[in-house]
Amino acid sequence: MRRVKFGWKFYLMIITALAIAVRSIPSWIYSAWGTDFGIYYSITIEFLIKKNPFYEYPAVWGSSGYGSFPMLYLIILGAHFLTGLPPQQLLLKIPPIIGGLTIIPLYMITYEITKDRKISLIASALLAINPIHVYQTSMPYLLTVGHFFLLLSLYFFIKWIKERKYLGFLIASSIALLLSHHLSNYMYIISITGISLIGGLYNYIPKKTVKRAFVFIISFTIGTITYWILRVPGMKYFMSSPFHYALPWYGTATIGTILLLILYKIAITYNLNHSDKLWKKINSLKIINVFALSLGLSITVFLILALVGLHGYYIPPIAIFYSIPFMLTIGFIGVGFVKLKKHPESFYFVGSWLLSIIASLIVGLITWSSLEPWRHIEYMMEPLSIIGAIGIASILNSEFFHKISVRKRVSVYFEGFSYTPHKIFGENTLEISNPIPIGGAKVVGDPITYEEKYPIGKVFKTIFIFTITFIVLMSGISAFPFMNHVERSTQEGISPVIMSGIEWLNENGNRNYTVATNHMIGTILEAYGFPSSFEYDYEIWNATNWTDCIDELQGLNGTYPPIGYVLITKDMYENGVFGYNNSQNPLQPPVFMGKEGYEKFHREPFKLIYRNATADNSNWVEIYTVDWHYINNYLQSKKQAKSS
């Protein structure tokens, strides 16, 4: 029977389908997915009404330019016209598909710099199931589209460095990225700057090519800053934050442009040579030792985050369990680092790409500004996937999977046998026909050590491939629990049960009153026209008596209309309420209400008007109305008692 062989296109298609399927899981489980879903939903509705990509669409919350980057909304609009499906459903289903498609440009980048289909497919598979990348690119956010066009633009930049004919593709994809997401655009600029700088210094990229690369980088950077200042609210504030607002935005822009000019001058003027001795020593390290060291370091980092924390950020111990597949992947990445020099293009392109992001991360740690350090990690996963693939391929190609050596130590001796001279050269040199007996035992020479090699590579290679497949599957399965515990302890999804409460309020609620709830639900309600006070609510959750939160109930002196409804879920009760002071501090811990804080809603002036739950009560939603007649009577009687 003839054996069917599948080509790389078939395997890439399977990996892409896996990437899309894993990222799409929340969109099939939840009615809404992502803390900021409501913000994007409200802008999508407005976008579908106006159909103008250059209209300034105000966000219901925040100042991150949610409505200033139209690419996501253009894609949703196009899908709406083609399918006729409602925008809420499209906003939930399309972004994870785009997120899964990011592995295709990564495959293209990997093959361009390695010319190895196997490494390219492994890199795509690692990114397909990387828990950090899966989690982030499953969201209906600008960054999902940003990641796709970032990788596509990087691919065309690398192609354009080699062949000028790709300039049109590079410009088109870079503009698409500019219209997609500001942080992804920033990562793109620093990445191509690092590639051009290091490539020029080590003469891997010709000096002439470095010159035109920097002309493109500086031109695109100036265009980016212009777009940001003219179109993105809050960008002036963002650009001032690295210097803690001591410099205005144009000061930061000027410093950035001057820095690019200095790096350009360095790249075309100086030449460096890497140390062959150093890389030979690194390359000679045993793969098993490198893997063990990388794995040990990753375990240490997770233990430190669980036991000590960083700037008040901790992870629960259970997160270490969910991170096991990810930590094993880090072991392969460590091997890839050691073997990276064997692939010269990968060494320069991927190395400089990764170093650029790490340099920015260090700046973020030093300044601790709007350039949030943890946001760099998701962008590091893309070059690290290529390095991890090189590590796995190096292990598969190692001698261990071809032959295994066994050392043996033996002593050679004679014991109890006879020797009969035989013909060596012509006639016998001794005329003896009978055997000569040799009695006793005599050791001949010193003990001998030798190696025997056994070809058992196929067995171990099969075991290793099954292990890698297991890690891939477990990484995909554990991606959402892992990130849920590492990033925050609250759920990011709106289940049908909770959505029923939102829909009930949408149909029956009075929009003149504010709804107190968490950030995720509050932004959806704001998309439906309800004001929500999640940014300011603290005492209403923490207090055990309603009189202790009267200022928040009344609207904090006109900050928002009086609170008329309180929407609570089981997750809010058990894991705290996220949203308080969120715009000022994204790492703000949740406000816990506790049993007494929750039970106050069972008494006046609160009245339960809606409740829905699953059969086993594992998930529920409750809506309380606020009796302002009761509150006003109380305040009036208190005022009269004071005056008398």
Side-chain angles (χ1 to χ4, degrees), residues 114-165:
T114 64
K115 301 302 180 187
D116 189 309
R117 297 288 184 193
K118 181 169 67 175
I119 292 176
S120 304
L121 288 170
I122 295 171
S124 302
L126 289 178
L127 190 66
I129 50 79
N130 182 283
I132 296 173
H133 201 272
V134 166
Y135 189 78
Q136 295 292 353
T137 56
S138 70
M139 301 284 184
Y141 292 173
L142 300 176
L143 68 86
T144 302
V145 183
H147 273 283
F148 177 81
F149 284 111
L150 163 64
L151 291 174
L152 190 65
S153 299
L154 272 172
Y155 170 72
F156 285 124
F157 182 80
I158 294 170
K159 293 291 287 185
W160 175 66
I161 283 176
K162 299 177 180 180
E163 300 177 73
R164 285 174 176 265
K165 66 181 182 180

Side-chain angles (χ1 to χ4, degrees), residues 26 101 104 252 311 326 340-341 355 413 446 477 509 523 531 541 556 613:
L101 291 174
I104 295 176
T252 305
H311 271 269
F326 181 62
L340 193 59
K341 191 66 177 64
L355 281 174
Y413 59 93
D446 295 325
I477 292 168
T523 55
W541 309 119
L556 292 177

Side-chain angles (χ1 to χ4, degrees), residues 235-284:
M235 188 52 71
K236 294 178 181 178
Y237 174 87
F238 177 84
M239 290 181 65
S240 300
S241 67
F243 298 98
H244 293 272
Y245 315 105
L247 282 179
W249 68 268
Y250 49 83
T252 305
T254 303
I255 290 172
T257 307
I258 292 172
L259 180 61
L260 283 175
L261 291 170
I262 293 171
L263 294 177
Y264 160 73
K265 187 67 176 174
I266 292 171
I268 64 170
T269 304
Y270 297 98
N271 297 304
L272 296 176
N273 294 312
H274 54 76
S275 172
D276 285 330
K277 286 184 179 179
L278 175 63
W279 281 104
K280 280 181 181 177
K281 284 183 180 179
I282 292 173
N283 192 50
S284 66

